[in-house]
Amino acid sequence: MFQTFKDWFWLERFWLPPAIKWSDLEDHDGLVFVKPSHLYMTIPYAFGLLIIRHFFEKFIATPLAKAFGIKEEVRKIIPNSVLETFYKHSTRKPSEDDVYGLAKKCNLTERQVERWFRSRRNQDRPCRMKKFQEACWRFAFYLVITVAGIAFLYDKPWVYDLGEVWNGYPRQPLLPSQYWYYILEMSFYCSLLFSLGSDVKRKDFLAHVIHHLAALSLMSFSWCANYIRSGTLVMIVHDVADIWLESAKMFSYAGWKQTCNTLFFIFSAIFFISRLIIFPFWILYCTLVIPMLYLEPFFSYIFLNLQLMVLQVLHLYWGYFILKMLKRCIFTKNIQDVRSDDEEEYEEEGEEEEEGKEEATKDKERDCLKNGLGPDRSLLPNGHHGR
């Protein structure tokens, strides 16, 4: 049954133009052509990148973060086995009835129970050091892969003449530079998928999963159908903007707001130019219109362009968030990633500060009363101390 499915899945009519066979793409005369089996290497390379990332974050990102003044945050709370058990096995945000019952069980006030759960939730939240490490790793990879992509593509004729993308398709041999560019890019996205569980979770977590899966699906499909030339153009258009985003995040976590704002404006300009102008009017034109000058419509042509359109929808989705951040930056002079969970964190930290101020005020009033003074440090009339 598996063999039957495999034979059906790899039918030429799904992958190749009419009258083209898989035998036409076999290696010959020193020419090497793409093979689906090449993609198996992305898995070990992905784990290799995870290992490299671990050492990069430990020996490069962490010292760099400390040089920027970012410290390891140790959030300590008073151990309480009853509250810890409830936190792990019931809910992180207890209801008022739960708080009342836990307060009675632990011989604490309701305010103390609420504060314990707030501190415990904050303890589970990623610190600035972890966020900086992630942004630094992604910045380093995007920088290296973008420089490598430019080096691979600058002398290729299809970069300057889109007709060359389809000239001779699909009998286009695989170049070593194309192999490494594709395999490293795919391995990186695989490593991001593998690390989603441990990375900082944001509000657009689902969009990130869809993006990584769509990117891997698109690159895998374009590899198997030998859309390598158009695929390299898609990758370089995407990578060139991500460098600036990750660098802006790094400076944001370091507290360099002015530098962060400048980098974010650069990122925004490159994003809108590359993904909302170049991608739809250059890349999609290359994959939708130009092939019809050389070929008749076929299944993989349709499927490729459907995936590219899904990618363009994601561009519009993130473009919306970028506009929101630009608006915030222009009117408040501060950029905060609207996708992050920082707003909730800041809100809770604000609650703690407010509670601390209230308690300090009450302590101050009690001290004043003991000394015969009112809250405004004026003398109280005799007999009014107990009020």
Side-chain angles (χ1 to χ4, degrees):
M1 183 176 178
F2 176 76
Q3 186 61 40
T4 302
F5 173 78
K6 182 180 176 181
D7 293 340
W8 171 82
F9 184 79
W10 291 110
L11 286 175
E12 283 95 347
R13 62 188 176 90
F14 290 152
W15 300 90
L16 302 173
I20 301 295
K21 305 294 183 182
W22 288 116
S23 57
D24 296 329
L25 300 180
E26 292 180 355
D27 300 346
H28 62 84
D29 301 328
L31 299 177
V32 178
F33 293 85
V34 296
K35 298 176 183 61
S37 58
H38 290 157
L39 299 181
Y40 293 142
M41 292 305 299
T42 58
I43 303 302
Y45 285 148
F47 284 107
L49 284 174
L50 288 175
I51 294 172
I52 294 172
R53 173 180 174 176
H54 171 75
F55 287 104
F56 177 89
E57 291 183 350
K58 184 176 181 180
F59 295 108
I60 297 178
T62 300
L64 185 60
K66 291 179 179 178
F68 277 115
I70 301 174
K71 299 178 181 179
E72 294 277 3
E73 298 177 15
V74 181
R75 297 165 177 165
K76 295 182 179 180
I77 61 172
I78 300 173
N80 189 305
S81 58
V82 175
L83 299 181
E84 184 69 27
T85 301
F86 188 91
Y87 179 87
K88 288 183 175 179
H89 299 99
S90 296
T91 178
R92 299 174 59 188
K93 294 185 177 182
S95 64
E96 290 184 7
D97 292 338
D98 292 330
V99 170
Y100 178 79
L102 290 169
K104 292 293 185 183
K105 188 180 293 186
C106 299
N107 195 25
L108 299 170
T109 65
E110 294 181 32
R111 177 63 63 85
Q112 287 174 323
V113 172
E114 290 172 350
R115 188 179 300 134
W116 188 95
F117 275 93
R118 185 178 300 113
S119 299
R120 184 65 179 84
R121 288 194 297 271
N122 285 335
Q123 191 178 52
D124 282 348
R125 286 195 176 92
C127 61
R128 282 198 305 154
M129 175 68 77
K130 180 173 177 57
K131 294 178 181 179
F132 183 92
Q133 290 171 338
E134 287 186 15
C136 191
W137 163 247
R138 296 188 188 203
F139 166 78
F141 180 85
Y142 286 132
L143 178 62
V144 170
I145 203 69
T146 300
V147 172
I150 293 172
F152 292 158
L153 292 173
Y154 83 96
D155 61 344
K156 302 300 184 291
W158 60 83
V159 176
Y160 310 100
D161 180 6
L162 294 180
E164 288 296 318
V165 171
W166 300 99
N167 187 19
Y169 177 83
R171 299 183 181 89
Q172 297 170 338
L174 176 66
L175 303 176
S177 59
Q178 292 173 321
Y179 173 84
W180 286 110
Y181 191 23
Y182 247 85
I183 295 300
L184 287 177
E185 189 91 25
M186 291 186 65
S187 300
F188 178 69
Y189 279 108
C190 285
S191 71
L192 292 182
L193 274 179
F194 295 158
S195 62
L196 275 174
S198 59
D199 287 345
V200 176
K201 289 183 174 59
R202 303 184 183 279
K203 292 179 181 178
D204 65 343
F205 174 82
L206 181 60
H208 262 92
V209 175
I210 294 173
H211 174 269
H212 296 340
L213 291 175
L216 285 170
S217 173
L218 179 58
M219 286 188 282
S220 300
F221 180 80
S222 64
W223 179 274
C224 294
N226 205 18
Y227 294 120
I228 303 298
R229 294 184 179 181
S230 58
T232 53
L233 298 180
V234 172
M235 289 191 294
I236 194 67
V237 165
H238 281 74
D239 292 338
V240 72
D242 291 330
I243 304 169
W244 303 96
L245 175 62
E246 300 304 330
S247 61
K249 288 181 181 179
M250 289 167 58
F251 283 101
S252 174
Y253 301 143
W256 293 34
K257 297 303 180 183
Q258 190 61 45
T259 305
C260 169
N261 291 354
T262 302
L263 291 170
F264 185 77
F265 278 122
I266 296 173
F267 160 73
S268 301
I270 295 176
F271 179 92
F272 288 120
I273 292 172
S274 63
R275 302 197 190 185
L276 300 183
I277 297 177
I278 293 178
F279 186 84
F281 297 107
W282 188 54
I283 300 294
L284 286 180
Y285 176 79
C286 173
T287 59
L288 268 173
V289 179
I290 295 180
M292 295 299 93
L293 302 177
Y294 297 85
L295 306 161
E296 294 294 326
F298 54 103
F299 178 81
S300 68
Y301 158 82
I302 298 171
F303 189 66
L304 171 73
N305 285 287
L306 284 176
Q307 291 183 92
L308 291 175
M309 289 177 185
V310 170
L311 206 55
Q312 182 58 30
V313 171
L314 287 172
H315 294 165
L316 295 172
Y317 174 80
W318 272 300
Y320 165 74
F321 280 111
I322 291 170
L323 287 174
K324 287 183 68 175
M325 285 187 278
L326 282 174
K327 180 181 176 182
R328 178 174 295 172
C329 179
I330 292 170
F331 291 104
T332 66
K333 305 298 182 183
N334 179 45
I335 290 179
Q336 178 181 317
D337 192 343
V338 294
R339 303 171 303 147
S340 69
D341 56 0
D342 292 346
E343 291 176 359
E344 182 181 356
E345 182 176 346
Y346 293 153
E347 181 182 346
E348 295 200 351
E349 287 178 354
E351 288 177 4
E352 285 189 345
E353 284 185 15
E354 188 175 339
E355 288 176 4
K357 289 178 181 178
E358 287 180 5
E359 290 186 2
T361 302
K362 290 178 181 178
D363 291 340
K364 184 178 178 181
E365 288 181 2
R366 281 195 294 268
D367 291 340
C368 290
L369 288 171
K370 288 178 182 177
N371 296 319
L373 300 174
D376 57 355
R377 306 197 65 81
S378 60
L379 288 173
L380 286 172
N382 290 335
H384 288 213
H385 290 69
R387 286 189 182 181

